[in-house]
Amino acid sequence: MITIRPADARGHFDHGWLDTRHTFSFADYHDPQHMGFRALRVINEDRVRPGEGFGTHGHRDMEILTYVLEGRLAHRDSMGTGSTIGPGEVQRMSAGTGVLHSEFNASDAEPVHFLQIWILPERYGTRPGYEQRRFPEEERRGTLRLVASRDGAQGSVTIHQDVRVYAGILGAGERATLDLSDGRHAWVQVASGGVHLNGHALAAGDGAAITGERRLELEGVEPGEVVVFDLA
């Protein structure tokens, strides 16, 4: 079964410095029908104006992934990490027992466009941690590249949950598949462009919950990027 979550059905707030869209309930957006999917709790699509950003604030007991689509994002945290994240890079921050951090557009001229993803951890009270990896475009083009997993397989960032996260870049007519084991579920998020998922048309910003399917077949319609979650 495939259930589509249309882009225009998401929560939307324009704060001036931040234009944000929430696939699931988050902050002032609450929809009891969309509180997450399996261990996937948050997918926020954020656009931040030049020089603006999120001031220092705290999190705990959450696996937070950041996937930049355009521009660059500057990160600072209470673990002493300072970094800049650009397209093709994945940031993993395990909040664990508690971490303070800030995220700002690293440019004074160009906006930054990114996905912020929260995944519930399999256990609480772990030690906070940070990891950042680059996945070149050639590794993601025409395929689904593993970018996050519990065991850090294939050079992916390590998350504390039984979830495998893939990123792919598909041009028109390009195809990628993902086989799901018995009892697994999936979520497909179209970050940009458009795809066909097992015959269903998905456009930029659309998401889809998948249950009871053994294979995902993705075909690019309009060139763009997808993020796919293989979930317990």
Side-chain angles (χ1 to χ4, degrees):
M1 181 174 67
I2 296 176
T3 304
I4 297 173
R5 173 74 161 143
D8 61 5
R10 297 176 295 176
H12 177 222
F13 297 91
D14 187 346
H15 301 288
W17 65 274
L18 166 69
D19 188 284
T20 182
R21 297 173 190 270
H22 307 320
T23 294
F24 305 117
S25 294
F26 183 86
D28 292 333
Y29 171 63
H30 180 74
D31 181 346
Q33 301 301 312
H34 297 93
M35 296 300 296
F37 182 70
R38 314 298 295 181
L40 180 57
R41 179 59 187 84
V42 167
I43 302 177
N44 290 347
E45 181 182 2
D46 292 341
R47 289 176 169 87
V48 177
R49 287 185 177 178
E52 301 283 358
F54 303 89
T56 301
H57 60 286
H59 297 293
R60 64 180 302 127
D61 291 323
M62 194 66 69
E63 300 293 296
I64 300 172
L65 299 176
T66 302
Y67 186 85
V68 174
L69 298 164
E70 298 175 292
R72 301 189 69 80
L73 192 67
H75 169 89
R76 298 289 183 274
D77 63 45
S78 56
M79 295 177 284
T81 308
S83 66
T84 302
I85 312 145
E89 293 181 291
V90 175
Q91 175 205 75
R92 183 269 298 175
M93 187 176 70
S94 297
T97 54
V99 66
L100 299 172
H101 77 117
S102 64
E103 310 285 341
F104 277 84
N105 188 335
S107 171
D108 291 327
E110 302 294 333
V112 61
H113 179 199
F114 62 97
L115 298 181
Q116 185 177 88
I117 297 156
W118 291 12
I119 296 171
L120 297 167
E122 57 190 351
R123 62 185 183 278
Y124 295 145
T126 61
R127 181 179 179 180
Y130 183 92
E131 194 175 7
Q132 182 176 330
R133 297 280 178 87
R134 180 175 180 271
F135 300 93
E137 182 175 327
E138 57 268 24
E139 294 183 9
R140 294 175 288 132
R141 181 163 295 282
T143 190
L144 294 177
R145 170 62 160 99
L146 185 67
V147 298
S149 64
R150 184 163 63 178
D151 58 2
Q154 301 173 30
S156 60
V157 299
T158 304
I159 53 177
H160 299 99
Q161 181 54 272
D162 184 11
V163 175
R164 293 168 71 85
V165 185
Y166 299 84
I169 300 174
L170 298 178
E174 287 188 314
R175 297 182 179 183
T177 62
L178 180 67
D179 291 325
L180 300 174
S181 300
D182 285 341
R184 302 290 291 186
H185 306 259
W187 183 277
V188 173
Q189 187 70 28
V190 182
S192 63
V195 301
H196 283 158
L197 165 65
N198 292 19
H200 298 267
L202 300 177
D206 289 349
I210 298 103
T211 297
E213 303 282 338
R214 293 301 302 274
R215 168 172 279 207
L216 305 184
E217 297 183 351
L218 292 160
E219 180 179 0
V221 176
E222 181 183 348
E225 298 186 52
V226 294
V227 181
V228 179
F229 303 83
D230 178 346
L231 304 144

